[in-house]
Amino acid sequence: MDVIFTPELTICGIEELPAQRERKVTHVLSLLDPELPEIETFSTYERHYRTTLRFHDIIVAAPDRVMPRPDHVEAILQFGADFQARQEAQAASHLLVHCHMGVSRSTAAMLTLMAQANPDEAAESLFARLVAIRPQAWPNSQMVGFADEQLGRKGDLTAALARHYGRQIKSRPQFTEWMTMLGRQAELKMAILD
């Protein structure tokens, strides 16, 4: 009987990228600030497919800042479709998604990719798997909203995101101060605290 490999999934920030070099990463989705220079670490990785998208981790328009837009999420979904098309049943693959800190853009993108690959999986289950991959996940609400719409999930990702925010605030109270400082009070107000 053939062994069927499922992809390994990793989320990290820029500072963690050198530590991923030895982990046989096959696919990389980089979500970077537009003004950030190219990341040289990837030249030390083994051969891999990489897509880079550039926008800021914000939820409210600001001067000289690039908001996440629907076309960014479309590009993430295209990356996901390409990733799924390149999967080989008998070969291991390792998908790495990163942003600056590995907390918001990258976790929203990974949630989007998991929802795309598993259209019948409940949103709460997707968030549980996301937290298992990256415990400090605080997905960008704009990106999750676009993914919810584009994947035809009828609001279930956004509803689960509100519950996720509530759990994160409860287990990591520092998120309240951090998101307030970053001007993301709208996400704090979304949080459903049980």
Side-chain angles (χ1 to χ4, degrees), residues 1-185:
M1 184 163 77
D2 289 338
V3 174
I4 303 298
F5 289 95
T6 56
E8 184 173 353
L9 305 176
T10 300
I11 300 169
C12 73
I14 292 172
E15 289 184 1
E16 299 165 89
L17 288 172
Q20 302 297 327
R21 183 176 21 235
E22 305 302 320
R23 297 190 61 217
K24 298 189 183 335
V25 172
T26 59
H27 299 76
V28 177
L29 178 60
S30 294
L31 305 171
L32 301 172
D33 293 347
E35 66 277 4
L36 198 70
E38 181 57 35
I39 297 174
E40 295 179 11
T41 303
F42 289 115
S43 66
T44 67
Y45 277 43
E46 291 182 23
R47 184 175 170 270
H48 62 279
Y49 299 97
R50 181 171 175 234
T51 295
T52 303
L53 301 175
R54 292 184 175 271
F55 55 93
H56 292 102
D57 185 24
I58 56 177
I59 62 168
V60 177
D64 302 318
R65 310 287 278 174
V66 179
M67 281 278 292
R69 299 184 309 259
D71 62 295
H72 292 130
V73 173
E74 288 169 14
I76 291 166
L77 291 170
Q78 184 58 58
F79 174 88
D82 293 345
F83 175 71
Q84 290 176 40
R86 287 190 178 115
Q87 295 304 294
E88 297 175 33
Q90 283 74 40
S93 59
H94 183 169
L95 169 60
L96 170 66
V97 180
H98 83 90
C99 59
H100 196 85
M101 299 293 294
V103 173
S104 185
R105 286 171 289 187
S106 56
T107 60
M110 185 64 83
L111 179 77
T112 299
L113 295 170
M114 291 190 309
Q116 177 187 36
N118 304 282
D120 297 326
E121 186 172 353
E124 286 296 335
S125 173
L126 291 168
F127 274 95
R129 290 202 296 133
L130 180 68
V131 170
I133 297 167
R134 192 70 169 174
Q136 65 268 49
W138 186 276
N140 181 293
S141 60
Q142 293 289 300
M143 294 172 66
V144 173
F146 297 142
D148 212 340
E149 185 175 323
Q150 292 176 29
L151 291 169
R153 303 256 335 189
K154 299 182 178 150
D156 76 329
L157 292 178
T158 301
L161 177 65
R163 292 187 293 275
H164 170 77
Y165 285 161
R167 289 188 297 271
Q168 290 295 66
I169 289 169
K170 195 172 182 179
S171 66
R172 298 170 182 265
Q174 68 272 23
F175 268 123
T176 300
E177 183 181 344
W178 191 14
M179 292 303 145
T180 300
M181 189 177 65
L182 293 172
R184 293 172 69 161
Q185 293 90 338

